[in-house]
Amino acid sequence: MKFSWRIAGEAGQGILNTGLMFAKACMNNGLYVFSSSDYPSLIRGGHNFLDITISNEPVHSCHEKPDLVVALNKESIEKHGSIANAIIYDKLEKDGTKNKKAFPVPLMTISQECGSIVMRNTVAMASSLALIGIELETFNNVIKHSFKNKGENVINKNIEAAKKGYEYSVKNFKPLVKLPAIKNQKMYLVSGNDAVSAGAIQAGCKFFAAYPMTPATSILHNMAFNEENYNIVIKHTEDEIAAINMAIGASFAGVRSMTATSGGGFALMVEALGLAAMTETPLVAVDSQRPGPATGMATRTGQGDLSFILNAAPDDFPRLVIAPGDVEECFDHTVNAFIYSEKYQMPALILVDKHVSISHKTVPMFKPIKNQRYSMIDKIPNNYLRYKITSSGISPRTIPSQLKGMHCASSYEHDEKGNESEDSENRIKMHDKRFRKLESLVKEIPEPIIYGPKNAKFTLITWGSTKGAVLEAIKELKNVNMLHFIYLSPFKTKNLIEIMKGKTCVIEGNKTSQLSALIKQNIGKGPDYKILKYDGRPFTPEYVIREVKKILRIRN
Amino acid sequence: MDIEDLNTMENPTWCPGCGNYSLVSAIRSCIADLGWKQEDTVIISGIGCGSKLPHYVNVYGFEGLHGRTLPVATGVKLANHKLHVIAVSGDGDGYGIGANHFLHTLRRNIDITYIVQNNEVYGLTQGQTSPTSPKGYKSPSTPHGAIEEPLNPIALAVVGGATYVARAYAFDPKSMKELLLDGMRHKGFSLIDVCMPCFAFNKVITVDWFKQHMKQLSDINHNPSDKFSAIKYSYFDNASFYFGLFYHEQKKTYNEELEQLRSKPLIKQDIKNIDISKFIKEFE
């Protein structure tokens, strides 16, 4: 059973926060939730909406057509009233709506009766809960939790407004559905950025430097909010160049460190990415993509940075590129990014996008891990060589304060000691050494994962945030499965080669199909079809189904 | 520790007679005098002739990217504030491409010693005008003379919030060492702008030029706690170019302001068992 709820209104009306409170009320009834927001790059005015899919089983995406929309202004009634199956709006709106299932609720009137005009959202949420058969009690708890810093008075007023809104709906309307309250393990409503932050903290990240850039900014906020809880130093720097160089400095001094930005900020970091590679300093950097080029569309989503991330910085060097596709993957693979980056002394890049960064999902508590340090030595030999040529390519690393471990790390090509060298033989040895690390790394990272029927006739190939919509879509499509890439560099080909024996279609959020190019580059053959989207909006299951049916010539 | 232990015995790539020889000796001698342990000392540089310096001092070193000396040095210091951190850049590196970092690092009073090898020209790229070259300076990049006014690093540092600001002359090693020692001892951000005429490329700002214009702040009535006086004497009035201690104040350093660093440096934080339940509680 699945139910799609949408709340729409003007930027500044608190749509996003309200929506998340509603989602939490559902979550606390044991239901699974996926929530995705659509908002412009401004602070007041402009049209906003937030979609929430609620289900009794895990849910991975939102849907195009809401079962119920809460329209908080005239524009929202017009925009969403005709798409949604049902609509809640303020009874004071004179023109009403043509939607047959219209639920006019005196949102403003109830809010005013309870002592303030700002509680319309609370009234609307409570009315919505009544319409889907969820008890009010869980929502009251969410109010208490969400407004705990605003004081008793605000909490009580909101609880009263919720009660009146709930009672109004119960009294005047027939419920649309009765969503079950199920017993479930304790869940948390977490966004991709939250999970990246949690992963970083779990992995022992002690230094984080960044410059704000949508949609990566909430990582900075999360880390800063927790700086004293976990003894992490957070630096909001003058620019992204400073952020990445500071992170490299901190890592050189021995602490695990990270930076996060979007494509434009990452463009500024590119030279220093090469610095991390050349000095073999571990580093984790996040690029949360938005459409470009240049400033592009700040609050929209896209997957146009793949080729850029894979190739950023002059000349070749090995790098990890990891593209988590959902909240759980954000946590797990951020932890891995820290481990691999330290173990292989190479930059690890986490490639997410607005859709995975800012969408929320209900997940159980993340699995704790025990940290250990990698590729660092305590017993330092005489004549220690920081960049020793080894068969694995990994050289033993020392950090400042270690006696006998002294060396100078250089952005110039260098010899085993670290001294600058332009000797041709040395250059070949060093370049080969850096690349040799890939041989063991590639064995350690996972193959792309197959979801759905193993021997399906048609395979959709995805990476990153596209996972969710396609996972939902293959439930509805017969004989179609999917192959999902999380690790894009190094690139694993075993499962891919197997899958490519059948018919395949790459689905991704960019114009030129950058994953197809990567596949072709690696195995000499591209996919049979491509479904591409670059309008700044995420894929929906419906979109995927429509496009796949076109390809397979399936009529509805 | 013997001062010879601080020499890596690598052959410097500087031109004969370059002021960097006397600077690197002075730095080694200061480290020895201060009793800083080699393993607890880090020298960070950018790119340029002068930025090769970390290779010639037997401590930890990091030769980063052009202009990015200060962010790397800041990261090192915040990761382990028990380390002694020295940053070295040329005038192109520090005041040109890295000027934005310079301005913002000044505001932070991070406890590092910043030594700028100021030869008023780009050396390694063969003689172009630098941010401190005088107006009218002719070079391959400004064949008709530089139009911009030179940047005044001393005034910028004073206005920007540096807590120790001095100018030294590489060919006056005794005074240079005193200023370096003082700056290295200083708790907080110290800038020591070290003038060193470039024999290869700078035919305008030469040893003779300095002989003609060099004046000592210690010879005049200047109070180093007076910002306005510091700024006044930082300007070249076509007659006097001042050396010595321009400005000095004591103030809390960046890491002293951080609650997280109160008990121990970041590097000493135990990361084995981290419990994220406190983090995740917000998302209930």
Side-chain angles (χ1 to χ4, degrees), chain B residues 57-77:
Chain B
V57 185
N58 195 18
V59 294
Y60 278 91
F62 193 97
E63 185 186 24
L65 296 171
H66 192 40
R68 315 304 165 201
T69 312
L70 288 173
V72 173
T74 303
V76 170
K77 186 71 187 180

Side-chain angles (χ1 to χ4, degrees), chain B residues 7 13 24 26-27 51 58 102 115 132 150 157 162 165 175 182 184 214 220 223 238 277 283:
Chain B
N7 194 337
T13 54
V24 76
I27 290 175
S51 286
N58 195 18
F102 178 54
I115 299 164
T132 49
V165 183
S175 316
D182 216 20
M184 285 158 76
M214 184 175 214
I220 56 163
N223 173 4
N238 289 318
S277 52
F283 304 94

